[in-house]
Amino acid sequence: MAIIETGAALHEAHRDNHTHRDVNGGWLRPAVFGAMDGLVSNLALMTGVAGGSVGHQTVVITGLAGLAAGAFSMAAGEYTSVASQRELVQAELDVERRELRRHPKDEEAELAALYQARGVEAPLAREVARQLSRDPERALEIHAREELGIDPGDLPSPLVAAVSSFGSFALGALFPVLPYLLGASALWPAVLVALAGLFLSGAVVARVTARTWWYGGLRQLVLGGAAAGVTYALGSLFGTAVG
């Protein structure tokens, strides 16, 4: 009796501790992509303009304009993308809903066949499909998960994606502008702050993946630094050619 109770307690403890992180990237993808894009694109934009030997005021205006334009562009693009994806999913759900209403037995048989293909014995698969098909909405949810790989009750929000992209891009794009707003008149403080931000963001992202924090930070630092270096060289070349 004591062994059974101990086993049950261990099972309960394991169930309570066995959790997984969200791997679908509902909020993580637009937030991370926005922050990285804001940092890299605005840093590259500002270094490219600075390479043309313009005044620091022009660089600041360029950075602020890049922040605003990029943030609104990211928000609009993310909203349209997620909204279009959601509309496509809703259209497919409507198709499945009609099929469940018109051909319930065929859909039940289809569900049973899916479970059989996964190794469930035929009589049990048919019984499970029959019980799940009693409730039309529950049946729709099961078919959507099995056939479309989606959860109808957990569709991404276009507004959340847009706001997340806007805020994260603006935050990332602010890094290279911040030293100028605090009184700097040279490019190098902005570059240092932006590179530190790139390393930090890469390290933070690595914390929710299998990569080490220093690898994620260095990878983002190298990519962002390379983009800034190339645009600075191009800005210098164009400035010399135009001048």
Side-chain angles (χ1 to χ4, degrees):
M1 186 69 175
I3 296 176
I4 295 175
E5 290 178 353
T6 302
L10 290 174
H11 175 72
E12 185 67 24
H14 174 75
R15 187 179 66 180
D16 291 342
N17 294 327
H18 188 71
T19 58
H20 293 284
R21 293 168 293 185
D22 178 16
V23 297
N24 292 324
W27 63 269
L28 184 63
R29 184 186 67 83
V32 170
F33 179 72
M36 296 290 192
D37 193 20
L39 263 167
V40 175
S41 63
N42 218 30
L43 174 62
L45 177 63
M46 293 173 64
T47 54
V49 172
S53 300
V54 300
H56 77 277
Q57 187 175 15
T58 303
V59 177
V60 175
I61 294 173
T62 300
L64 292 174
L67 185 155
F72 281 109
S73 176
M74 282 287 295
E78 196 68 29
Y79 184 92
T80 302
S81 174
V82 175
S84 299
Q85 179 186 9
R86 189 183 179 96
E87 290 163 1
L88 175 60
V89 170
Q90 292 289 1
E92 291 302 312
L93 288 176
D94 288 340
V95 172
E96 192 65 35
R97 189 177 285 107
R98 286 195 300 270
E99 289 300 310
L100 284 168
R101 186 173 61 251
R102 295 174 180 174
H103 310 288
K105 290 300 182 182
D106 291 340
E107 292 297 309
E108 181 180 322
E110 183 179 336
L111 190 60
L114 284 173
Y115 289 134
Q116 284 183 252
R118 294 185 178 184
V120 179
E121 295 181 356
L124 179 59
R126 288 194 295 269
E127 178 60 21
V128 170
R130 185 187 67 81
Q131 293 188 28
L132 292 176
S133 299
R134 290 174 179 172
D135 182 356
E137 287 303 315
R138 182 62 183 273
L140 176 64
E141 179 182 336
I142 298 297
H143 278 274
R145 287 178 176 175
E146 295 292 339
E147 298 177 29
L148 303 176
I150 60 173
D151 184 354
D154 191 29
L155 298 181
S157 168
L159 184 59
V160 170
V163 172
S164 175
S165 294
F166 182 94
S168 58
F169 185 98
L171 179 62
L174 182 62
F175 270 72
V177 184
L178 193 58
Y180 283 102
L181 298 180
L182 295 178
S185 58
L187 179 64
W188 65 266
V191 173
L192 289 179
V193 169
L195 292 179
L198 285 169
F199 183 87
L200 178 62
S201 60
V204 169
V205 171
R207 293 294 296 173
V208 296
T209 65
R211 295 290 187 181
T212 57
W213 65 269
W214 57 265
Y215 176 86
L218 285 176
R219 178 175 62 180
Q220 197 59 37
L221 177 65
V222 170
L223 292 174
V230 170
T231 54
Y232 183 86
L234 291 174
S236 300
L237 178 63
F238 294 154
T240 302
V242 173

